[in-house]
Amino acid sequence: MRMRHLRYFLIVAEELSFVRAAAKVHIEPSPLSRAIKELEIQLGVRLLDRSKGRIQLTCSGKAFREEAHRMLAFMEAARMRVLATSNGACSYLRIGLEDGLAQPRIAQLLARCREEEPRTNIRVVQLKPSDLFQALRYDQIDVGLTLTELDSDEFIQRLAWEERPAAAIPIRHPLLSLEEIPLSELLRYPLILSNPEQDAKNQKVVPQWLQEQQLPKLKIAEYATSHEAMMMLVSAGYGVTIGLESQLALYRHPDVIVRPLSSETPDVPTFASVLNRPFSDELQRFLIRMDAMGNKITI
């Protein structure tokens, strides 16, 4: 089985068109179709349903798409590890970050790891929450930092640290008369949330406790596709938004004021997730540093 066949298949599976897929890989549709047929012969299954004038993935094709992603990711990780070794690295650690998680503590933790272990090659990738746990399961990363809490024997989750939630409010807003904002007061006003199509759980901007407030009943003014767009809409007066205090501080806007939520609103935990198996020495040292940053020295 050739690596290029896997790449060809993934592009066809994405485009569901040999013409569009062929244009992406700069070959003619006929040899591309033959390459997929060779792959089907090797596997002994049909990956694509070509009937009715269109292409669709069969059940086998959907399963193989997932495996092809895993195989290519494994080969890329192997290539990067070998390259790092040739440049002087003796060990490696692969860290996954939940997409959109940009806490200053994470940057400090990564900087400390690089400073104290210069010969450990540390790779960082950003992943959607569901992809992060898949990457752990398929041994594509060693540890994932996430806001998503799981109840599963397959993974071990450790509390990394907790952060205060805060509200981003436009200037000249009635809520600015309060030093700390009660959640009940904040929810009287229209909210700007992350786009549900890009973030199905809204967990980067809207923590779990807000989801439990029955989101469909809240006043949603707009959905934003990024933190920058969210702050722009807040500054324009479309509504208010909620996030981690440290993250909102990274996206300062002159017409937006960040105020902490009142003390009855719970802190938002960040978890380190790993597979339930023995830790490597590099992962063990990473977790010790993480615990120290979270004022938790136990391991």
Side-chain angles (χ1 to χ4, degrees):
M1 189 179 297
R2 298 180 180 180
M3 301 302 294
R4 64 183 177 88
H5 284 177
L6 299 181
R7 295 189 179 93
Y8 287 170
F9 169 72
L10 288 176
I11 293 173
V12 172
E14 178 184 348
E15 296 293 334
L16 296 179
S17 164
F18 282 112
V19 174
R20 291 194 298 269
K24 276 196 169 183
V25 296
H26 308 293
I27 63 174
E28 292 296 319
S30 293
L32 177 60
S33 180
R34 285 196 299 272
I36 302 301
K37 180 61 71 175
E38 290 173 12
L39 192 56
E40 290 178 319
I41 292 172
Q42 286 181 322
L43 292 169
V45 297
R46 289 178 60 207
L47 300 173
L48 302 175
D49 182 354
R50 299 171 173 83
S51 63
K52 300 178 182 179
R54 59 179 182 174
I55 295 175
Q56 288 185 311
L57 288 172
T58 63
C59 290
S60 298
K62 291 176 182 178
F64 187 70
R65 176 177 57 185
E66 187 174 314
E67 295 300 325
H69 276 300
R70 183 173 66 87
M71 286 186 281
L72 289 176
F74 178 83
M75 291 302 297
E76 177 63 16
R79 185 180 73 85
M80 294 299 294
R81 185 179 181 187
V82 170
L83 285 175
T85 303
S86 70
N87 292 327
C90 294
S91 57
Y92 74 110
L93 183 68
R94 303 160 299 173
I95 303 171
L97 297 183
E98 186 173 292
D99 199 15
L101 198 59
Q103 299 167 344
R105 283 196 193 185
I106 294 177
Q108 295 165 13
L109 177 58
L110 294 176
R112 183 174 172 184
C113 290
R114 289 173 60 85
E115 179 183 356
E116 296 181 1
E117 291 197 42
R119 299 194 69 185
T120 296
N121 179 38
I122 299 175
R123 294 188 62 217
V124 181
V125 294
Q126 287 193 307
L127 299 162
K128 296 177 182 178
S130 58
D131 292 341
L132 184 142
F133 292 104
Q134 280 286 73
L136 282 170
R137 184 176 290 114
Y138 289 150
D139 196 29
Q140 294 168 357
I141 59 175
D142 301 299
V143 57
L145 294 175
T146 173
L147 301 181
T148 306
E149 185 173 8
L150 285 184
D151 182 14
S152 170
D153 293 335
E154 185 179 7
F155 302 100
I156 297 174
Q157 284 197 303
R158 301 162 61 103
L159 177 65
W161 48 69
E162 294 183 315
E163 298 223 19
R164 288 300 301 153
I169 303 167
I171 58 173
R172 296 182 293 276
H173 193 282
L175 285 175
L176 294 179
S177 62
L178 303 172
E179 288 296 324
E180 293 186 343
I181 313 297
L183 184 60
S184 57
E185 285 294 311
L186 185 74
L187 297 183
R188 292 174 51 205
Y189 296 92
L191 287 172
I192 299 168
L193 303 180
S194 59
N195 191 324
E197 293 182 0
Q198 294 191 348
D199 177 15
K201 293 188 177 181
N202 288 323
Q203 288 186 336
K204 269 74 78 179
V205 180
V206 183
Q208 184 66 37
W209 43 258
L210 186 55
Q211 294 184 51
E212 294 167 357
Q213 301 290 323
Q214 297 178 315
L215 277 177
K217 296 183 179 180
L218 298 178
K219 303 173 184 176
I220 310 300
E222 292 285 348
Y223 286 108
T225 57
S226 66
H227 285 288
E228 293 87 347
M230 192 172 296
M231 297 300 269
M232 179 193 69
L233 291 170
V234 171
S235 70
Y238 280 75
V240 299
T241 193
I242 300 175
L244 300 180
E245 199 168 33
S246 63
Q247 282 188 277
L248 293 177
L250 296 175
Y251 300 95
R252 291 288 188 186
H253 193 285
D255 295 328
V256 175
I257 307 296
V258 176
R259 287 280 167 84
L261 296 185
S262 54
S263 57
E264 73 268 13
T265 306
D267 290 343
V268 179
T270 296
F271 299 98
S273 301
V274 297
L275 269 182
N276 191 354
R277 65 182 183 184
F279 298 164
S280 67
D281 292 342
E282 293 78 19
L283 177 57
Q284 185 87 348
R285 292 193 294 270
F286 173 84
L287 294 174
I288 289 173
R289 295 187 186 99
M290 180 194 76
D291 287 346
M293 290 199 64
N295 296 317
K296 295 167 57 266
I297 309 301
T298 58
I299 185 90

